[in-house]
Amino acid sequence: MANVMSEFLFLILFSSLVIQGTRSQKNDAALFIFGDSLLDAGNNNYIKNPIGRVNFWPYGKTFFNYPTGRFSDGRIIPDFIAEYLKLPFISPYLEPGNDHYTNGVNFASGGAGALVGTYPGRVINLETQVVNFKKVKKQLRQELGDEETKALLSRAIFLISIGSNDYVSPFSTNSTVLHQYTRQDYVGMVIGNLTVVLKEMYKHGGRKFAIIGLTELGRVPLMKALSERINDSGGSLKEVTALAKLHNRELAKALEELETEQEGFKYSNFDIYTSANDRIDNPSKFGFKEGKEACCGSGPFRGFTSCGGKGAIKEYELCENPSDYLFFDGVHPTEKFNNQLANLMCTGNHKVTNPYNLQRLVAA
């Protein structure tokens, strides 16, 4: 009888250790998401008068079969990264009832920039996103205690996409802000604000950062449509592309400096510029039929973001199969394109993402 009882107690203890180990592995890399519409999983659904909101058909048609607030026909980059990390979809911070954060949380807001002056009052800007992160950290400390929270944050991936709106918004709103600064100074402000935010995240426990650079902004359907409408002979396309190139160069320098200055700071810098251009130039090579025109929208290249007809422009065209296209609307990738980008971030070589891809960043 004693032997039977001993074996029974051993099995209970062994099962407990296995369960604890499984939980530990599952929570090895929580995912905290910051930035703009490339990563927003629905926060803009819950803010008043946002610059962009996509809680209507045909957004979400491919995977969810209903609109979730994601700026795509289906899943977005964080959804695929979460799957890679063996996490559930990471919920928007503002989603009612979302108060369990051990897997991470999504703070991103469509239209957000690194500059507070980018669509002020109509987005959750990057600084406010970090304020919300601090609130989450406080709640985690109450739930888990200081040491476990510190360990969770140090293992977590901090995924960030920011900057596009800082450069595109002056063109889409006819702002003169770009005339007030040199190109170097304006990009310096954007990178400077992002650097301050990264240091704040580091101060509050973040150690592993996955940063998405900027695409060649002059090649997205929206910018091409705007350029044709104002008939500027491509001048705006050249300017916004020059800004994106400079942003990516300065971002690389800033991340290298942070790695040197902040002990334990590790990062993955994803070159979306090259990856997107490869597909725009050679869509069939990557399983697409159309790389320059959007699936859903109106005007030249279907570039005007009228998809769904909820804005000023009610009429729009919708392609038959979004997976044939790189862009779902005038700015945002289709689910298929998002999947390819996420795969490159997770397992790509050093030419695409450096000095770590996400696989190596998690293990670092």
Side-chain angles (χ1 to χ4, degrees):
M1 185 67 181
N3 288 338
V4 172
M5 183 60 70
S6 297
E7 289 177 8
F8 179 68
L9 291 172
F10 172 78
L11 286 172
I12 292 175
L13 178 61
F14 179 76
S15 299
S16 175
L17 289 171
V18 168
I19 291 169
Q20 288 177 18
T22 302
R23 286 175 180 163
S24 175
Q25 288 174 5
K26 182 180 178 183
N27 291 326
D28 260 351
L31 187 58
F32 293 92
I33 301 157
F34 303 81
D36 53 31
S37 56
L38 193 66
L39 307 182
D40 184 1
N43 280 306
N44 276 22
N45 289 351
Y46 307 104
I47 63 176
K48 186 177 180 180
N49 192 31
I51 190 64
R53 179 187 287 151
V54 290
N55 58 344
F56 48 81
W57 189 263
Y59 289 95
K61 72 185 291 291
T62 295
F63 180 80
F64 299 98
N65 296 315
Y66 66 93
T68 64
R70 289 167 170 82
F71 290 76
S72 182
D73 59 302
R75 289 164 289 183
I76 55 177
I77 289 173
D79 297 323
F80 292 107
I81 290 177
E83 182 180 352
Y84 180 81
L85 296 175
K86 296 181 172 55
L87 296 170
F89 289 157
I90 305 301
S91 298
Y93 174 70
L94 294 182
E95 184 176 82
N98 181 23
D99 57 1
H100 186 67
Y101 304 124
T102 53
N103 288 322
V105 63
N106 188 324
F107 302 100
S109 170
L115 302 178
V116 175
T118 297
Y119 302 125
R122 303 189 66 188
V123 300
I124 309 165
N125 64 49
L126 189 59
E127 289 184 11
T128 303
Q129 292 179 34
V130 176
V131 170
N132 291 337
F133 164 66
K134 292 176 187 177
K135 294 176 183 176
V136 164
K137 179 187 175 183
K138 182 177 180 180
Q139 186 164 332
L140 283 170
R141 290 174 67 184
Q142 292 172 348
E143 180 182 345
L144 304 175
D146 289 349
E147 288 305 312
E148 193 168 340
T149 298
K150 181 179 179 181
L152 184 151
L153 295 178
S154 69
R155 294 191 304 264
I157 298 296
F158 286 68
L159 175 64
I160 304 160
S161 166
I162 204 75
S164 294
N165 294 300
D166 297 304
Y167 304 118
V168 170
S169 61
F171 295 98
S172 62
T173 61
N174 295 317
S175 169
T176 60
V177 66
L178 289 176
H179 301 305
Q180 301 170 28
Y181 301 93
T182 66
R183 195 180 286 163
Q184 187 74 43
D185 286 345
Y186 190 79
V187 172
M189 289 193 302
V190 174
I191 296 297
N193 277 24
L194 175 55
T195 301
V196 168
V197 165
L198 289 171
K199 287 182 177 179
E200 192 70 5
M201 292 176 183
Y202 176 90
K203 176 183 174 182
H204 285 273
R207 292 297 182 268
K208 299 180 180 184
F209 300 88
I211 318 294
I212 301 174
L214 302 188
T215 60
E216 184 173 342
L217 296 174
R219 302 194 77 181
V220 301
L222 171 63
M223 283 305 304
K224 292 191 294 181
L226 287 172
S227 180
E228 284 204 8
R229 184 171 68 181
I230 64 177
N231 193 26
D232 69 347
S233 302
S236 57
L237 303 184
K238 293 175 184 176
E239 179 60 22
V240 77
T241 289
L243 289 165
K245 283 184 177 179
L246 182 56
H247 174 98
N248 288 340
R249 288 199 298 271
E250 294 302 314
L251 174 63
K253 292 178 186 176
L255 291 172
E256 288 174 4
E257 289 178 7
L258 285 169
E259 184 182 38
T260 301
E261 296 169 357
Q262 311 291 334
E263 183 180 357
F265 182 100
K266 296 180 175 66
Y267 69 92
S268 170
N269 183 11
F270 176 50
D271 178 15
I272 194 174
Y273 189 103
T274 302
S275 300
N277 276 352
D278 286 345
R279 288 158 176 78
I280 291 171
D281 292 332
N282 303 287
S284 61
K285 182 179 176 181
F286 299 94
F288 299 97
K289 293 181 179 179
E290 176 56 57
K292 298 176 182 177
E293 184 175 84
C295 167
C296 187
S298 61
F301 310 99
R302 291 184 186 149
F304 295 129
T305 50
S306 58
C307 185
K310 297 294 185 180
I313 304 174
K314 302 301 179 186
E315 296 182 359
Y316 66 95
E317 299 176 42
L318 177 65
C319 70
E320 184 175 344
N321 185 7
S323 65
D324 288 339
Y325 287 70
L326 281 177
F327 296 98
F328 182 62
D329 63 17
V331 178
H332 305 104
T334 57
E335 178 183 85
K336 182 176 178 179
F337 190 15
N338 279 323
N339 190 10
Q340 291 187 7
L341 294 171
N343 283 334
L344 287 170
M345 291 183 69
C346 290
T347 61
N349 62 33
H350 69 279
K351 293 180 181 179
V352 180
T353 176
N354 69 85
Y356 295 95
N357 59 25
L358 286 180
Q359 183 181 53
R360 290 186 285 121
L361 186 64
V362 168

